[in-house]
Amino acid sequence: MASTTAIPRAHGARASKTRAKKPAGFHRSWYAIARSDEVGAGEVIGRDFLDGRAIAYRGENGEAVVMNAYCRHLGADLSMGKVIGNDIQCAFHHWQYGPDGGCTKIPASEKIPKAARVFKYPTAEKWGLIWAFNGTTPLFDVPEFVDFAEPDLDIRTAEAFDLPVEPWVPFTNSMDFQHLRVLHGLKIECDPDAIDVGDYRIQYDVRFEDPNLGVFDQRIRVTGTNTIALAGRLNGMAILSMATGTPTPDGRTHGWSVTATPRSEGNDAEREQRLQIGEAFFRRLIQEDEPIMKTIRFHDGLLIDADRALARFLQYVRRFPTARPAAE
């Protein structure tokens, strides 16, 4: 007999009478804010993030900083200000904040209130992206590829998708093998019971057979609930792909892709070919998913025995910790 289980619901879906109240906040995960090359030394940008807004700026020391966008004085958007040394200066009354979020200068007063502080997100740069962790202290490291280190790879990063769902919803595909078979036409070999599901990441090996590209052996890692990294070989060629999604206040997910290949394998032309193949494979999956993701209303439904891996992913999402640190 087919087994059933309740599943998490995306933003906007009708609540079930038996469903527990959705926890406040967003998953405590690493979220990409911008490409690294979008924020040069002395520059600041604003981004809609979580249920508010954040800024990313880079001081004279070269380090990227992500913090809440609104000045504690009167709420002016700090992305309208300018970088002074390693601080960000508000355009409205020139209150100045250091890279830890604390106010360092108020032109109209020598006394700085203790509460003059904006929330500073734990920040990191990797894979050509600036990342912010939703929480006061990261629970885990920035997403990685299994068996590959960043300095050993040629990397290409791009904005990849924008979907009207919460970030975890597109990544149900990572363990929805029936979906991959019927929509994307991939033959899959993976034992659902061999999938390693931890507190903050999921890891497993899988073999895809694409009718157009051939055999793709992959080591897959899902980090948090919003990033998947696939490291493997397509017909012997080392091709790596990462996708990550960031929530915005209007209930959407803005996504980035990272495509990579080892610098030690082949010449420039061969590595470029591998990057193009990896990008094309990812774009195809996104294009095939997009019409469905733009209209889906995730709801409590019925899962069958063939959905065992998907059910494990949904249980992982359900128990994942949440936070709203910028509002606390």
Side-chain angles (χ1 to χ4, degrees):
M1 179 180 290
S3 61
T4 65
T5 185
I7 55 181
R9 179 178 289 101
H11 177 80
R14 187 176 63 185
S16 167
K17 292 181 180 179
T18 59
R19 182 173 174 78
K21 184 178 180 181
K22 181 180 176 180
F26 296 80
H27 288 144
R28 295 184 64 185
S29 195
W30 286 100
Y31 296 106
I33 295 294
R35 297 192 316 274
S36 292
D37 60 14
E38 291 182 88
V39 188
E43 295 180 344
V44 58
I45 62 172
R47 288 288 187 267
D48 293 332
F49 178 47
L50 303 178
D51 55 0
R53 187 165 172 82
I55 61 165
Y57 77 91
R58 195 183 302 276
E60 63 183 14
N61 63 5
E63 294 183 4
V65 177
V66 178
M67 62 175 59
N68 189 27
Y70 298 113
C71 179
R72 287 302 306 275
H73 184 208
L74 294 176
D77 187 339
L78 294 172
S79 70
M80 304 302 295
K82 65 179 179 179
V83 179
I84 306 292
N86 294 320
D87 293 1
I88 183 70
Q89 182 190 77
C90 180
F92 208 15
H93 294 88
H94 285 193
W95 285 34
Q96 200 163 301
Y97 298 90
D100 66 349
C103 184
T104 60
K105 182 179 180 181
I106 299 176
S109 175
E110 294 183 359
K111 184 178 181 180
I112 298 175
K114 290 182 179 180
R117 172 178 293 275
V118 297
F119 182 80
K120 189 266 183 184
Y121 291 92
T123 307
E125 284 193 78
K126 203 158 197 174
W127 314 118
L129 294 166
I130 298 172
W131 303 77
F133 188 85
N134 179 35
T136 54
T137 303
L139 299 175
F140 49 90
D141 293 336
V142 174
E144 300 258 7
F145 292 104
V146 181
D147 297 334
F148 289 89
E150 184 180 25
D152 301 327
L153 299 169
D154 279 346
I155 298 166
R156 186 167 296 165
T157 303
E159 295 185 60
F161 56 89
D162 188 87
L163 299 169
V165 293
E166 294 178 47
W168 60 267
V169 176
F171 295 95
T172 59
N173 294 350
S174 63
M175 291 169 64
D176 187 354
F177 298 143
Q178 298 308 307
H179 161 82
L180 295 172
R181 290 182 178 113
V182 301
L183 180 60
H184 300 303
L186 301 174
K187 295 182 179 179
I188 298 172
E189 295 179 21
C190 181
D191 179 4
D193 295 325
I195 298 173
D196 180 14
V197 180
D199 290 335
Y200 308 122
R201 77 176 190 189
I202 299 171
Q203 191 165 303
Y204 59 97
D205 294 339
V206 66
R207 167 169 283 194
F208 294 141
E209 185 175 341
D210 186 285
N212 299 314
L213 295 176
V215 176
F216 208 163
D217 289 305
Q218 295 181 336
R219 305 203 70 185
I220 294 179
R221 179 179 291 171
V222 177
T223 305
T225 59
N226 61 302
T227 303
I228 184 171
L230 299 81
R233 292 188 175 272
L234 175 62
N235 300 325
M237 297 183 293
I239 297 175
L240 292 73
S241 296
M242 180 183 293
T244 188
T246 299
T248 59
D250 57 358
R252 304 184 70 85
T253 292
H254 190 71
W256 283 264
S257 67
V258 178
T259 308
T261 194
R263 291 175 176 166
S264 61
E265 298 186 19
N267 55 37
D268 290 347
E270 290 169 334
R271 291 195 295 275
E272 176 63 24
Q273 180 187 33
R274 294 199 297 269
L275 289 172
Q276 290 181 5
I277 291 172
E279 287 180 314
F281 177 73
F282 178 78
R283 281 198 304 270
R284 191 197 101 196
L285 296 182
I286 288 294
Q287 289 169 358
E288 291 173 350
D289 279 341
E290 198 168 31
I292 298 170
M293 285 294 165
K294 284 186 173 180
T295 56
I296 197 168
R297 289 293 182 269
F298 234 92
H299 61 86
D300 286 359
L302 300 174
L303 298 188
I304 62 174
D305 288 339
D307 295 317
R308 279 187 299 144
L310 173 59
R312 296 189 68 192
F313 178 81
L314 295 172
Q315 291 168 357
Y316 167 84
V317 169
R318 207 179 279 120
R319 68 171 183 261
F320 211 86
T322 62
R324 289 186 69 233
E328 293 172 358

